[in-house]
Structures are given as C-alpha cells and as structure tokens.
Amino acid sequence: MTATATSAQGASVTPEAPSAGTPRGVPEPTPSGPGRRVGVRRAGPTLGIGIVGLWLSVIVLLPLAALTVRSFDDGWSGYWDAVTAPTALASLRVTILVAVVVAIVNAVMGTLIAWVLVRDDFPGKGVVNALIDLPFALPTIVASIVLLSLYGPNSPIGIHLNATRPGLVVALAFVTLPFVVRSVQPVLIELDREVEEAATSLGASNWVTFRRVVLPTLAPAVIGGTGLAFARAIGEYGSVVLIGGNIPRETQVASQYIQQQVETDSPVDAAAVSITLLAVAFVTLAVLRWYAGRAQRREQEAQ
C-alpha cells in the first residue's frame, strides 16, 4: 500500500505528520487566540483585587459600618432625635451654608488662578504654583493659628473676623482652594488654542470666546473640583477650631458639635450627626461621578 493516495483529479495528497512533541493519536490543543493557552489562569489580578478589598474593608468599610451601627444604638427614633435637636440642626445648617459659599468662591477664584498659572508668565510663577499645594501639606490647626493671628482681635491689618461666619469662609477657602485649581489646570494645559484663535478671528470678544468655547470644556473639571471642595469643607475641623469661635447656632460647625457631644459623653448623638455628614458627602461624590461619566460619554459620542 503506497504512502500517498491519488484523488479523482490525479493530484496526490500526503497526510500531515504529527508534530514532534505530540504523541500519535493524541489531538493537539487548540489555542483560543494568538499565543494563548487554554486553561491557564493568572493569580496576579485575583490576588491584587483581594488585597485591595481587604485593605479598603479594614480602613474604610469596617469603621463606617461601626459608626453606622453606633448611631442607631437608640433605634431610628433616637437617631432622628439626635439629628433634629435644635443645636444639631443649627450646626448642620451653618456647616452646609458656609460650605456652599466656599464652594462658589473656589469655583470662581480657583478657575481664575488656574487660568493665570497656565496662560500667563510672570516673575515668581513657580513660587505661586508651589504655594497652591501648601494647604495639603500644612496641618490645618496651623492654618487656624495663622488666620487667628491675622484676622483675630489683635489683627495687625485691622480686619477682625474671629468668631464670625466670614472667618469660617476664609478658613475653609484656604484649605479647599487646591481642589479647583488642580482640577482645572490639566484641562487648560491640554486645551486646543487654535479653536480660541478661530473664534477670535471670526470677531468673537474675549468674554464670548471664554463663555462659548473655553467654559464648556472646563465645566466638568470646575464642577468636579468644586464638589470636592464642598465635601472637604463640610467635614473640616482644624482650620476653624480657633478662628470660628464655636458659638452655638452662630459659628459652631458640625465637626465642633460632634466633638462637644463626645466630650459631654453623648457618643450616640455624635455618631448620628457624623453619619449625616457622611451621607451628604457621599451623595455629593456620587453626583460628581455620575456627572463625570455623563460628560465622558458625551465626549466619546462627539468624537
């Protein structure tokens, strides 16, 4: 019997020999993709996810769960009574009001500072750029001491903001300013200047160009930085502890009220107000993530 078979057209067909590394009669494995092997799993991603989940559980989830449980030690009615107490409501009202004002101020001034740092050249620009990050590195209690020395009863410049709401605004604006500046700066750096030049060549004024061309691109970054500034402001303590005065129903913010409840042996009331602040911050961050995702989808659709 010959090793080749002749087809009807007269062409000879030679059977393929098995590969050198595969025993005869055993089918070769079929790869699922170029250069891939079937059934091979990498433990790296799974291990990494497990470590991240464990770390977040220990650092974030477990403390928050313990705080939530503690706030409901007296049941839902106890939680509600703690949050709706007149002094607690006043501190929450002052906190949210001041945080909103600070967020608006930072949205305007932070965008302006980012614009100047990116678009203008001036002596000392590097120093100013470094000073923006100072509130991140400086302990907030030090900021409160400095502000009290500058705007307190013995103010060298004659401005007295101690134990006033404007003093709270100044203190919180100081510690939250970098959020907007550092959010807007990268977007301004990557912004296409040719579009602005085209709008200017068509007769648009600087304000119209900024409002119609630049601002829509900056809006997601401005809103994101403003939201982060608001979330930071509602939980800030160190920068307002001295200059704020801690006057109930006037300048007492929620963080100072929480400390007061802990000192007066009312940990359940303190936990209840803390959970309320946490809920406000969580909703703010969730809205920011939703808005950022929506803006990203719009940008992808436009491309």
Side-chain angles (χ1 to χ4, degrees), residues 13-303:
V13 179
T14 303
E16 294 182 359
S19 61
T22 305
R24 187 179 298 275
V26 178
E28 294 186 11
T30 303
S32 59
R36 285 189 167 182
R37 293 182 178 180
V38 178
V40 178
R41 294 183 179 179
R42 293 185 302 171
T46 303
L47 180 61
I49 293 174
I51 293 175
V52 170
L54 177 62
W55 181 253
L56 289 179
S57 299
V58 173
I59 298 299
V60 180
L61 296 181
L62 290 180
L64 292 183
L67 182 65
T68 303
V69 172
R70 188 59 183 273
S71 65
F72 287 96
D73 277 353
D74 297 334
W76 172 257
S77 60
Y79 169 83
W80 184 253
D81 291 341
V83 173
T84 57
T87 310
L89 277 179
S91 67
L92 289 171
R93 189 180 303 111
V94 170
T95 300
I96 294 177
L97 175 62
V98 173
V100 168
V101 174
V102 169
I104 295 173
V105 171
N106 276 332
V108 177
M109 297 307 302
T111 304
L112 178 60
I113 293 174
W115 181 277
V116 171
L117 290 176
V118 173
R119 297 296 178 89
D120 298 331
D121 291 324
F122 54 89
K125 179 179 178 179
V127 176
V128 174
N129 198 24
L131 287 176
I132 298 299
D133 294 327
L134 185 62
F136 284 151
L138 187 70
T140 53
I141 186 64
V142 176
S144 187
I145 294 174
V146 172
L147 293 174
L148 183 64
S149 301
L150 186 60
Y151 301 117
N154 299 320
S155 173
I157 58 177
I159 300 177
H160 304 283
L161 300 178
N162 183 39
T164 63
R165 292 187 181 181
L168 295 178
V169 172
V170 171
L172 293 177
F174 172 80
V175 298
T176 58
L177 175 64
F179 288 102
V180 177
V181 177
R182 295 311 186 201
S183 296
V184 174
Q185 262 187 310
V187 181
L188 273 175
I189 294 174
E190 297 296 331
L191 193 63
D192 189 2
R193 299 287 295 272
E194 294 181 357
V195 179
E196 300 177 48
E197 294 173 358
T200 303
S201 65
L202 293 175
S205 63
N206 291 335
W207 169 246
V208 172
T209 302
F210 177 81
R211 184 168 56 91
R212 295 291 184 88
V213 178
V214 179
L215 189 58
T217 305
L218 295 182
V222 174
I223 293 175
T226 302
L228 292 176
F230 172 80
R232 169 68 186 275
I234 63 174
E236 176 59 28
Y237 174 77
S239 62
V240 300
V241 66
L242 297 179
I243 195 171
N246 196 18
I247 302 175
R249 305 191 184 192
E250 292 294 333
T251 62
Q252 185 182 62
V253 295
S255 57
Q256 293 176 310
Y257 176 81
I258 292 170
Q259 182 198 25
Q260 184 183 68
Q261 296 306 302
V262 172
E263 292 176 349
T264 57
D265 198 21
S266 301
V268 177
D269 295 347
V273 177
S274 300
I275 285 296
T276 304
L277 284 181
L278 177 64
V280 174
F282 181 80
V283 170
T284 301
L285 296 177
V287 171
L288 289 179
R289 288 187 62 86
W290 171 81
Y291 180 81
R294 183 181 178 185
Q296 185 177 7
R297 288 191 298 269
R298 286 182 175 179
E299 184 177 353
Q300 291 175 352
E301 292 175 356
Q303 294 176 353

